[in-house]
Amino acid sequence: MDERPGASVRDTLVTPSGSSGPSSDDSLLRAIAGAPPRALGPAHLLAPGVVVADRYRIEALLGTGGMGAVFRAVDRRLQRPVALKVHHGRAASLVRLRHEARLLARLSHPNVVTVLEVVVHDGAPVVVMEYVEGGSARRWARDVGRTWQQILAVYIQAARGLAAAHAIGIVHRDFKPDNLLVGGDGRARVADFGLADGRSPGELDDVITRSLVGARDSSVDASPDATDPSALVGTPAYVAPEQIISSKVDARADQFSFCAALFEAVYGVLPFPGNSALEMVGHILDGARIDPPSRRGVPGWLHAVIVRGMATRPEDRFVDMDALRGALERPPTRRAAAFVVGGALVLGAAAVAFGAQPQTDPRCDDDATPGWTALRAPIGDRIGEQAGRRTDADGEALRAQWTRLDRRLDHRGQAWSAAWVTACAAQREGVTAVGLTTMAQRLDCLDGERRFTDALLAELEEPDAAAVARMLESSTRWDDPLACIATIPDDAAENAAAAGSSDRSLTEDTVLLEARAALAAGRSVTANTLADLALVEAQKSGDETRIAAALLLRARTRFEIGQHERALDDATAAVGLAQQTGDVETARDAALLLASAYGHDDPAQSLRWIPVARRYLRRWPDDAARQVELLAIEAGARRLRGERDAAGILLDEADSIAGRAGVPGGVTAKLWFERVELAVERSDFGVALDHAERARGLLEAEYGPGHYRVGAAYSKLGYVYDHAGNYTEARDQHRRALALFEGPGGGIDRRTVLQRVGLAALETLLGNSTQALVELDAARAAIDATGLDARDILAVEAEARGMALLDLERFDEAHAAFEELLHLSEAQWGSSHPAVRGALLNLALTERSRGHADEADAALVQAVRIQEGLPEGDPLAADVYHGYGFALLDRGELDGAEVQFERATAALRDSARDGGVDDGWPALGLGRVALRRDRPAEALVWFERAAVAWSSDDADPRARADLAESTAAALWALGRSDEAIATARAALLDRPGHVLLRAWLERQAPGAAPPR
């Protein structure tokens, strides 16, 4: 107990909730900022070079505290710096830390420190966090030359972070200057949500008691400096009155703590000082706030806002953190000049250091609130009118999409204002000439983001459903204005000093910005025309940074309008120029675009561009979405090369990043689509459907259920049902996808054309080949009307057309279609590429149907030659082998045919495709071999196995008819003639045009065949 004068019973019963001794030293932020050294167990002093959790390589000790030590490390997998906090605690600490990590994983905000994961090293829990150069807000505020305007700008960012936490139901409960990290880039991050979990009154009493005992423990400073409340164990100076009395508090408790910390920061003294923790608590409960000895130039309106936020009764404070932030951002004058004074703010301390007069950027006198909120209101009214004139479902979809888009535009406006204030207020000591350039670049970047937002809103002046849908989709790819104030890497800064810029926003002209906005609104043709003009202007200027940015934008517009090859050329040129000029953003985005564009068609090329893009992924968590997308692309390329295990590892990594960083659903869905592909290749169709539904949920949450992007999930569901042999359900899902693709924001493009081709293939499988040709004719007409660069689509269309014509027994036309397919495939990939196999198999099929056995054999031999050069486990291997087996069977080479059918069965097993519809073909072949060897009983066993594989009503009717003919022949050979005739007649009712089946029946039982 405290034996000093003034101690009382009240002192032993009332202390701040959660202010026990260890907790005060358990701040993630304070440790990173470099807390005073404490004694540490030797097990936690990790030497440089030690690798934690097989991933994080220790580089240096940053600081120590009562609960552990913090190290700077490198994530060897992603090649980025991280901070590791190694705790002394064991099992109990690990549970608490994992709880803390789960809380922070729910937050994705630039003003909240990112906790990546919790691991264990040598039995001790380790928190892995983003690494931020900088220190605590307490240390930052004490730097020479800090003004109240600079301090306010940092705390406004903190208010945004707290508001984000409150929005998902998290109350911090321990906000103080030590739990606010200020990076070298000027961005503030709220840290240490470890006390955000609620406590029962009993637990609170225990915490109170331990706090008081700890405050008097001889192992800590018993007489802390009042100007350094962080030295007090428990730090009660910032705790709300209701938190002292009860553990049941809401977000307004954080508002009290925030204002108490801001009071101290701007005035240099605590609002409720005392010589002990207990004295501070008494003053807080009594509302005995001091008047600061000096206002230090702090305006009256700011003082009034801070005082209101520290009201004793929660209901007398602001309604929420956003309302408090709004009051801090918009003083009565509505002038940013009074809010972010232009003079000594930006470069004052640096100018003093150089012995010059303070320098300012006149742009900092502009208003930090550009008025976008007022511009959005009439847009919303016009969209509401349009929604009212549409059908119920369409109108609701439009309203839902505008609500989402409006929210993102509002977030963008808030982020821009915060970044503008920070860019004008942020100032580090000892700024060099490059530093001065960097400060100007941040404002240039923000200028570009402001003008881009203006252009976006201009696109919505006459809004329609398509523009809203497309802009909502593109919003997940807009740069965050807060990224403009991120630290520029040294190499880019050196280039900037020489070239005058390291950020593409600096040199973006009006035409380029308008092109970006037009593309965001879905006006692709207009965007392409504007991109051409922007490129011409950039080339006239000779500015290679502008040229690279224009090339990248034109690449995007060309992809949108279907000029695939020309887009690839533009993107490749953009990467080269951007690398020469040090334009990190353009190099990153162009390489990512190339990796994605090549992803499904040419995995080798995709893998070439992936490391280029990854080289420029430098910011965490700003680049998290790009990291997830890049990992998904790489997983797809690895899968196509047969590297399934590697693909799965990459997808696990992508999933982990997406969960930790709050990556948008539109991006995260891509990794689940890749999981669908892996599951289908393993014939895990139930798992594949779950993954596709997961992706659909993400897309609907991101864009709304009526958005055209959701069509991709229905298309993927159709893909799964197709491979599972449920062709009816597959067709229904593809029709849902097509309806969305052709809706607002979609239209006639590559997606819709490919969807129609896929539908045609399903119609053929369902016996509706005439309808299939109708769909294919519509696809051809769309290609011709839009001028799509559709060589790859034409190959798919030729295959689907050939299959429909083959099913209609129009063999010569089918042969012509498959010849076109072979020509297109060889022209694109070369004659030995795996993609050529399918064309050869189909061509051989038509040659056999036309009676050209030698031509069929030649095509099959070439397909087998390609196949034998590929690794085991290839999903198409079974088709190649059983196709060749049937050719050998036709020639009477029974032993060779049997070998091929057995190879096909083994290939299905190796590729995890066995046990499904694909088993039918080698079973049919092996049965026919047995039948030709006069072993009808053995043949019947194989035919029954094929019948099981093709038992679904959605199985290929032609395949079932082929099987019925062979089964009838085996039954006839066994003397079961009545069963044989019944089998043949039943099959002909489903497939009356099957020539071979009808011929067999007429031969064995003349007049028994049903009429056509």
Side-chain angles (χ1 to χ4, degrees):
M1 298 293 294
D2 190 352
E3 298 178 356
R4 290 174 295 176
S8 67
V9 174
R10 178 186 182 186
D11 293 343
T12 68
L13 296 178
V14 184
T15 58
S17 169
S19 59
S20 66
S23 295
S24 69
D25 288 321
D26 196 28
S27 164
L28 304 177
L29 178 63
R30 181 172 175 172
I32 292 177
R38 304 285 182 96
L40 271 182
H44 304 301
L45 290 177
L46 303 180
V50 171
V51 177
V52 174
D54 295 324
R55 178 168 179 176
Y56 305 105
R57 185 181 67 249
I58 299 294
E59 290 196 331
L61 175 68
L62 295 177
T64 60
M67 288 295 288
V70 174
F71 300 85
R72 187 183 189 278
V74 170
D75 182 338
R76 299 192 301 172
R77 187 176 303 170
L78 297 179
Q79 289 303 305
R80 69 176 183 221
V82 293
L84 301 187
K85 183 175 183 180
V86 184
H87 280 249
H88 295 328
R90 299 289 172 175
S93 293
L94 183 60
V95 171
R96 175 186 178 275
L97 289 171
R98 282 183 172 154
H99 171 71
E100 178 177 328
R102 282 195 299 271
L103 286 172
L104 288 178
R106 294 168 58 194
L107 282 173
S108 175
H109 195 276
N111 299 123
V112 175
V113 71
T114 302
V115 168
L116 306 176
E117 63 176 332
V118 177
V119 298
V120 176
H121 179 75
D122 193 25
V126 181
V127 179
V128 184
M129 302 169 287
E130 67 170 312
Y131 176 77
V132 182
E133 291 279 4
S136 72
R138 182 184 308 285
R139 290 180 56 197
W140 177 87
R142 287 175 176 172
D143 287 351
V144 176
R146 297 290 183 214
T147 66
W148 68 264
Q149 295 95 336
Q150 293 172 291
I151 293 169
L152 180 58
V154 163
Y155 273 82
I156 285 174
Q157 293 182 66
R160 293 181 186 280
L162 287 171
H166 297 165
I168 60 172
I170 297 176
V171 180
H172 191 290
R173 292 174 172 261
D174 194 31
F175 182 84
K176 54 190 175 184
D178 305 286
N179 286 342
L180 180 61
L181 182 64
V182 183
D185 58 1
R187 187 190 302 187
R189 295 164 174 83
V190 182
D192 204 352
F193 281 77
L195 298 179
D197 55 315
R199 288 190 170 92
S200 68
E203 292 173 311
L204 181 63
D205 289 342
D206 182 59
V207 169
I208 291 169
T209 303
R210 285 189 291 106
S211 177
L212 287 174
V213 172
R216 299 167 184 84
D217 194 287
S218 60
S219 65
V220 299
D221 187 359
S223 56
D225 181 355
T227 65
D228 185 10
S230 66
L232 288 171
V233 176
T235 328
Y238 314 98
V239 181
E242 65 270 25
Q243 192 171 345
I244 297 172
I245 298 169
S246 170
S247 64
K248 296 180 179 179
V249 299
D250 58 25
R252 290 172 296 184
D254 284 350
Q255 192 179 138
F256 183 97
S257 302
F258 173 90
C259 286
L262 180 55
F263 185 102
E264 179 196 12
V266 297
Y267 292 125
V269 295
L270 289 167
F272 303 97
N275 293 319
S276 69
L278 279 303
E279 188 176 346
M280 289 182 181
V281 167
H283 291 159
I284 291 172
L285 289 173
D286 295 338
R289 173 184 49 80
I290 68 166
D291 286 327
S294 169
R295 287 296 178 91
R296 304 173 69 178
V298 177
W301 66 264
L302 177 57
H303 182 76
V305 170
I306 295 173
V307 168
R308 179 179 172 185
M310 292 189 297
T312 302
R313 299 195 316 161
E315 56 268 30
D316 293 336
R317 300 170 201 155
F318 291 91
V319 64
D320 56 26
M321 187 61 69
D322 276 328
L324 170 58
R325 175 187 53 77
L328 293 172
E329 285 183 334
R330 293 183 290 276
T333 62
R334 307 284 295 181
R335 285 286 300 160
F339 174 44
V340 189
V341 173
L345 277 188
V346 180
L347 303 170
V352 170
F354 290 120
Q357 293 298 316
Q359 303 179 48
T360 65
D361 191 311
R363 289 175 292 183
C364 285
D365 292 331
D366 294 339
D367 198 337
T369 55
W372 292 324
T373 301
L375 290 175
R376 294 199 322 272
I379 295 172
D381 292 341
R382 288 192 289 271
I383 289 173
E385 293 173 2
Q386 288 186 29
R389 293 193 295 268
R390 301 172 70 90
T391 63
D392 288 344
D394 291 342
E396 285 304 312
L398 178 55
R399 288 189 184 93
Q401 289 171 25
W402 168 248
T403 298
R404 287 173 169 83
L405 177 58
D406 185 51
R407 188 181 304 125
R408 289 174 195 177
L409 287 167
D410 179 59
H411 173 76
R412 179 175 178 79
Q414 292 186 23
W416 186 91
S417 295
W420 186 262
V421 169
T422 301
C424 286
Q427 175 62 59
R428 291 184 293 179
E429 281 190 79
V431 177
T432 64
V434 172
L436 296 173
T437 301
T438 299
M439 295 294 289
Q441 288 166 353
R442 291 174 177 173
L443 293 178
D444 291 333
C445 176
L446 287 168
D447 267 340
E449 293 300 326
R450 168 160 47 188
R451 289 187 291 138
F452 176 55
T453 307
D454 289 339
L456 290 172
L457 293 171
E459 287 289 337
L460 293 172
E461 285 183 0
E462 297 296 333
D464 57 25
V468 172
R470 289 302 294 263
M471 197 171 288
L472 175 61
E473 191 272 336
S474 72
S475 66
T476 60
R477 298 189 300 274
W478 297 341
D479 289 333
D480 188 339
L482 286 167
C484 287
I485 61 173
T487 301
I488 298 174
D490 291 341
D491 56 346
E494 291 171 4
N495 288 327
S501 172
S502 70
D503 192 294
R504 65 169 178 263
S505 296
L506 172 61
T507 56
E508 280 186 329
D509 55 30
T510 301
V511 177
L512 195 62
L513 289 166
E514 289 176 352
R516 288 176 59 199
L519 183 62
R523 296 195 301 122
S524 304
V525 176
T526 299
N528 187 61
T529 301
L530 291 170
D532 281 336
L533 292 174
L535 181 57
V536 170
E537 292 301 317
Q539 289 170 335
K540 288 179 181 178
S541 73
D543 185 336
E544 292 185 337
T545 300
R546 290 178 63 188
I547 294 171
L551 281 168
L552 172 58
L553 182 61
R554 194 172 69 173
R556 286 177 169 146
T557 62
R558 282 179 163 175
F559 275 123
E560 286 290 324
I561 63 177
Q563 296 178 0
H564 191 83
E565 293 298 326
R566 298 173 74 184
L568 291 174
D569 292 341
D570 279 348
T572 304
V575 173
L577 277 176
Q579 288 177 319
Q580 290 176 24
T581 61
D583 184 352
V584 170
E585 288 83 1
T586 297
R588 173 198 65 200
D589 292 346
L592 181 57
L593 186 64
L594 287 164
S596 177
Y598 283 115
H600 291 289
D601 298 328
D602 192 343
Q605 279 291 335
S606 182
L607 291 172
R608 170 195 169 195
W609 289 108
I610 285 168
V612 178
R614 184 165 288 131
R615 186 184 311 153
Y616 298 107
L617 292 176
R618 299 191 175 186
R619 294 193 300 265
W620 175 269
D622 302 323
D623 279 339
R626 293 183 179 95
Q627 287 177 348
V628 169
E629 184 173 6
L630 200 61
L631 287 165
I633 292 168
E634 183 175 359
R638 299 289 180 192
R639 175 183 55 79
L640 289 172
R641 288 160 60 100
E643 303 171 24
R644 292 181 186 162
D645 291 342
I649 292 171
L650 290 166
L651 292 174
D652 288 342
E653 177 68 18
D655 194 16
S656 176
I657 293 173
R660 297 194 308 261
V663 172
V667 176
T668 308
K670 295 178 182 179
L671 72 91
W672 289 100
F673 285 157
E674 279 300 326
R675 288 193 188 280
V676 169
E677 298 281 356
L678 278 177
V680 167
E681 288 187 4
R682 297 186 174 108
S683 296
D684 294 333
F685 299 120
V687 172
L689 288 174
D690 288 343
H691 292 339
E693 288 289 0
R694 173 71 177 272
R696 182 167 71 91
L698 288 166
L699 290 171
E700 288 186 344
E702 187 75 22
Y703 305 119
H707 195 274
Y708 72 91
R709 274 291 308 276
V710 181
Y714 286 112
S715 180
K716 197 63 74 173
L717 285 165
Y719 167 80
V720 178
Y721 282 117
D722 183 358
H723 280 72
N726 189 345
Y727 302 128
T728 299
E729 186 63 34
R731 178 185 60 187
D732 293 344
Q733 296 292 345
H734 281 302
R735 289 212 176 277
R736 291 190 185 99
L738 183 61
L740 288 172
F741 286 154
E742 292 182 336
I748 305 301
D749 56 14
R750 293 176 60 85
R751 277 185 300 254
T752 54
V753 172
L754 283 169
Q755 203 64 36
R756 285 202 178 277
V757 173
L759 273 172
L762 288 167
E763 294 288 9
T764 297
L765 289 170
L766 291 169
N768 304 322
S769 297
T770 301
Q771 178 60 35
L773 293 175
V774 171
E775 297 287 356
L776 292 169
D777 288 342
R780 284 271 186 171
I783 292 172
D784 294 339
T786 57
L788 288 173
D789 179 5
R791 279 173 287 181
D792 55 333
I793 300 178
L794 288 174
V796 180
E797 190 273 343
E799 182 176 23
R801 185 176 294 276
M803 296 303 296
L805 291 166
L806 185 64
D807 186 64
L808 293 170
E809 299 184 0
R810 293 158 59 176
F811 299 126
D812 289 341
E813 294 173 82
H815 182 265
F818 289 137
E819 276 196 324
E820 180 186 7
L821 170 62
L822 180 61
H823 172 73
L824 289 168
S825 300
E826 289 181 334
Q828 186 170 7
W829 308 115
S831 60
S832 61
H833 193 276
V836 176
R837 290 169 302 166
L840 291 167
L841 289 174
N842 288 322
L843 193 61
L845 186 60
T846 59
E847 293 287 20
R848 286 178 57 206
S849 300
R850 298 166 76 205
H852 300 165
D854 291 341
E855 290 84 349
D857 287 354
L860 287 165
V861 167
Q862 185 179 347
V864 171
R865 188 179 300 118
I866 295 172
Q867 183 62 55
E868 289 176 341
L870 299 175
E872 292 184 359
D874 179 77
L876 272 181
D879 298 339
V880 174
Y881 294 139
H882 75 63
Y884 189 40
F886 283 113
L888 293 174
L889 185 61
D890 287 346
R891 293 211 307 256
E893 299 180 21
L894 301 184
D895 291 344
E898 185 175 33
V899 169
Q900 296 301 321
F901 292 134
E902 288 173 347
R903 292 180 77 183
T905 301
L908 287 171
R909 183 174 57 252
D910 292 342
S911 62
R913 288 173 63 196
D914 57 329
V917 67
D918 296 315
D919 280 345
W921 291 110
L924 175 62
L926 288 167
R928 286 182 176 175
V929 169
L931 191 60
R932 294 279 290 274
R933 288 172 172 165
D934 294 326
R935 298 202 291 261
E938 179 185 336
L940 202 58
V941 173
W942 286 112
F943 295 151
E944 288 173 352
R945 183 176 299 182
V948 171
W950 293 338
S951 60
S952 169
D953 290 338
D954 293 323
D956 184 354
R958 180 171 181 155
R960 287 207 303 264
D962 288 343
L963 174 62
E965 186 229 348
S966 297
T967 303
L971 291 168
W972 189 275
L974 289 169
R976 297 158 59 179
S977 56
D978 291 342
E979 289 181 68
I981 292 171
T983 297
R985 281 180 59 83
L988 273 175
L989 290 174
D990 286 340
R991 188 75 179 179
H994 197 278
V995 176
L996 295 177
L997 186 58
R998 182 172 292 276
W1000 181 90
L1001 194 55
E1002 289 290 351
R1003 185 170 60 252
Q1004 304 297 345
R1012 288 181 182 272

